[in-house]
Amino acid sequence: MKKKVAFYTLGCKLNFSETSTIARDLVEEGFERVEFSENADMYVINTCSVTENADKRFKWIVKQAQKSNPNAFVAAIGCYAQLKPEELAAVDGVDLVLGATEKFKIADYVNDLSKNDFGQVHSCEIEEADFYVGSYAIGDRTRAFLKVQDGCDYKCTYCTIPLARGISRSDTLQNVLNNAAEISSKGIKEIVLTGVNIGDYGKGEFGNKKHEHTFLDLVKALDKVEGIHRLRISSIEPNLLKNETIDFVAQSNSFVPHFHIPLQSGSDAILKLMSRRYLTNLYVDRVKRIREVMPDACIGVDVIVGFPGETEEHFLETYNFLNELDISYLHVFTYSERDNTKATELTGVVPKKVRNKRSKMLRGLSVKKRRAFYEGQLGSTRTVLYEAENKEGYIHGFTENYVKVKTPWNPSLVNTLHEIKLTEIDDDGMVRGVEVSSMVSAKPYP
């Protein structure tokens, strides 16, 4: 009988794309993939270093696996496994810990799945993470996450990602196009481009600094791939989102009017402490340019509150900056200390109660911003891609400009595109609408 393997993914879209690829590799090695809640012979947990209390979360997930099968082999992979391998190996029930490069060769480290008395660690020095492994997530949802880049050469003072993933490096353009075509052939309607710092795309497969292709080259080439209905750019640094890219997206065949642009602070003083590569005036310019060529575009913003040195005045500067900016929603992160980052050496530590208060204020602002954006879309006709879950009797989908739409559950809607006139905002903040036409019928969903 085939051995069964289950996966649990923490963190970002990039992690999901890598989990999906690692899972396909293990299936090719003879494993059968099952849900994490099911009885499996091996459980693989893809970890994240960004999540606060990552160790507690990890321990809880290990316990869930042990409840399903106390004798199962448990492997930890990913960013937290690279940063704190010994810590994860010491967790009761963990048998194997694989770092940044080893995770893609998991089959080489798995023999008879016998439990180990102590977790075995195989973790490289992060300088050795200098080669590129392509991946994409498919079959898990109606959107596919396509990895185009990995690692980061930036030195933001709060961030551990360069320590967890190594230098910036990219997939070859041809390989990205091949993966996109393969995804499209499966009937997936939307591809989300993902990476650690995707605007830095073009640095060679081995991290060499010469850019064979730019991010704009990538966008233009993907726009020509047949069969892709939607392409969405995930988070991209404001200094790397060039006007040429914004202008191209505005008139492209497949790219949707949605940008997620990290800001992190609306105070130039704090941006300098963070070692970010721009100031607020550049950010304002990017938002203005998007609004000029795509008035209905959705613009999401990452922001960190409670960074060391952030006074009440700095925070209010951020709040007022965001309040006046024509954006659509916020992703709010409460600053938390990370080992081996320069931010931990800074003075002016913000008490956690104050951090939480500021976070709550910005989350409230985000609700207001999203509501205003949705209200501005009422009366317009948009294309909705419906997803696969039945949530309390409703099926949800997103318009091209990321308005979340709900309609009564109908399984025939899964993975289909429909033109919908947006008519009202429901009590839960989602939008309802009236169908104008069905655009693309469903293919068998993988």
Side-chain angles (χ1 to χ4, degrees):
M1 289 181 63
K2 287 185 175 182
K3 297 285 187 182
K4 295 180 179 179
V5 60
F7 292 83
Y8 196 108
T9 304
L10 291 162
C12 61
K13 297 177 178 70
L14 180 56
N15 270 8
F16 277 96
S17 74
E18 291 180 344
T19 294
S20 192
T21 295
I22 292 166
R24 288 194 297 275
D25 291 344
L26 285 176
V27 168
E28 287 182 9
E29 293 286 339
F31 283 85
E32 176 188 349
R33 184 178 183 180
V34 298
E35 295 296 320
F36 197 83
S37 57
E38 297 180 44
N39 186 300
D41 300 289
M42 178 166 69
Y43 293 90
V44 180
I45 305 167
N46 195 353
T47 62
C48 174
S49 66
V50 176
T51 315
E52 191 170 10
N53 299 320
D55 56 339
K56 292 180 183 176
R57 180 78 172 144
F58 176 77
K59 288 173 184 175
W60 181 84
I61 296 164
V62 172
K63 284 182 180 177
Q64 299 311 302
Q66 290 176 314
K67 281 182 184 177
S68 297
N69 181 2
N71 299 314
F73 189 90
V74 177
I77 65 173
C79 292
Y80 203 67
Q82 175 66 35
L83 292 172
K84 304 272 188 178
E86 302 296 340
E87 191 175 298
L88 295 191
V91 173
D92 184 46
V94 173
D95 301 288
L96 179 66
V97 178
L98 300 179
T101 63
E102 293 81 6
K103 64 189 174 188
F104 296 108
K105 301 175 283 187
I106 187 170
D108 296 346
Y109 297 99
V110 176
N111 297 316
D112 58 359
L113 299 186
S114 297
K115 296 290 287 178
N116 294 321
D117 293 332
F118 303 97
Q120 294 183 358
V121 173
H122 298 277
S123 180
C124 68
E125 294 298 319
I126 197 59
E127 291 77 16
E128 296 172 30
D130 62 354
F131 58 91
Y132 185 86
V133 178
S135 59
Y136 60 87
I138 196 170
D140 301 329
R141 54 195 72 210
T142 52
R143 289 176 288 167
F145 300 141
L146 173 57
K147 174 182 170 184
V148 301
Q149 183 273 343
D150 200 352
C152 188
D153 292 340
Y154 286 12
K155 299 291 187 286
C156 301
T157 55
Y158 54 81
C159 187
T160 58
I161 297 300
L163 301 174
R165 285 188 168 270
I167 58 174
S168 179
R169 54 209 188 274
S170 310
D171 206 347
T172 63
L173 181 59
Q174 190 57 53
N175 198 44
V176 173
L177 296 177
N178 291 344
N179 285 340
E182 187 173 337
I183 292 167
S184 174
S185 72
K186 304 287 187 183
I188 301 294
K189 304 292 190 298
E190 180 174 311
I191 295 175
V192 183
L193 305 185
T194 187
V196 175
N197 188 358
I198 64 171
D200 204 30
Y201 176 82
K203 285 184 179 170
E205 181 185 1
F206 300 98
N208 52 297
K209 301 305 180 188
K210 182 186 175 186
H211 281 61
E212 283 191 54
H213 299 96
T214 64
F215 183 69
L216 180 59
D217 293 336
L218 174 71
V219 166
K220 287 181 174 179
L222 281 167
D223 200 49
K224 296 176 183 174
V225 176
E226 289 191 12
I228 302 176
H229 295 278
R230 284 185 180 179
L231 285 156
R232 197 178 295 273
I233 299 170
S234 67
S235 182
I236 182 168
E237 293 285 305
N239 53 302
L240 296 174
L241 177 57
K242 305 299 185 185
N243 286 342
E244 294 84 357
T245 302
I246 294 170
D247 293 345
F248 182 81
V249 168
Q251 52 83 49
S252 76
N253 299 315
S254 305
F255 279 89
V256 295
H258 176 204
F259 296 89
H260 192 95
I261 314 168
L263 170 67
Q264 311 308 13
S265 177
S267 164
D268 286 344
I270 299 301
L271 288 175
K272 289 173 183 177
L273 286 175
M274 291 176 166
S275 291
R276 299 293 285 165
R277 297 195 177 194
Y278 55 87
L279 296 175
T280 52
N281 60 346
L282 181 140
Y283 200 94
V284 169
D285 288 346
R286 293 295 181 267
V287 172
K288 282 183 177 177
R289 183 67 169 211
I290 292 168
R291 288 284 171 239
E292 284 171 8
V293 296
M294 288 171 278
D296 293 316
C298 182
I299 304 175
V301 182
D302 286 342
V303 61
I304 297 171
V305 297
F307 188 79
E310 184 187 68
T311 63
E312 192 69 17
E313 290 73 23
H314 290 136
F315 171 70
L316 290 175
E317 198 179 348
T318 293
Y319 186 94
N320 293 330
F321 178 79
L322 289 166
N323 190 36
E324 294 167 12
L325 204 59
D326 191 2
I327 56 169
S328 312
Y329 65 89
L330 304 173
H331 280 174
V332 183
F333 298 89
T334 305
Y335 172 77
S336 61
E337 287 75 5
R338 292 286 178 268
D339 290 345
N340 301 314
T341 58
K342 287 187 176 181
T344 58
E345 302 168 11
L346 297 175
T347 58
V349 173
V350 179
K352 290 197 173 177
K353 279 187 179 178
V354 176
R355 298 183 208 181
N356 292 335
K357 176 190 167 191
R358 292 175 183 175
S359 177
K360 188 175 181 181
M361 285 179 66
L362 282 183
R363 288 195 169 97
L365 179 61
S366 180
V367 170
K368 189 175 85 168
K369 286 285 185 181
R370 193 186 297 269
R371 177 85 185 194
F373 175 62
Y374 282 8
E375 285 176 349
Q377 298 303 303
L378 295 181
S380 66
T381 298
R382 302 289 174 202
T383 306
V384 177
L385 172 61
Y386 286 107
E387 300 192 338
E389 285 185 85
N390 181 343
K391 294 184 178 179
E392 299 179 351
Y394 289 92
I395 187 170
H396 298 157
F398 285 93
T399 65
E400 58 271 69
N401 62 341
Y402 216 57
V403 174
K404 193 170 187 180
V405 174
K406 65 185 287 191
T407 197
W409 170 254
N410 178 351
S412 69
L413 293 177
V414 172
N415 198 35
T416 61
L417 289 160
H418 297 260
E419 280 197 336
I420 303 290
K421 183 177 182 181
L422 308 180
T423 58
E424 61 181 311
I425 302 174
D426 215 344
D427 293 340
D428 57 10
M430 279 179 268
V431 175
R432 289 179 182 262
V434 178
E435 180 163 333
V436 176
S437 68
S438 173
M439 296 181 63
V440 183
S441 60
K443 280 188 179 181
Y445 187 61

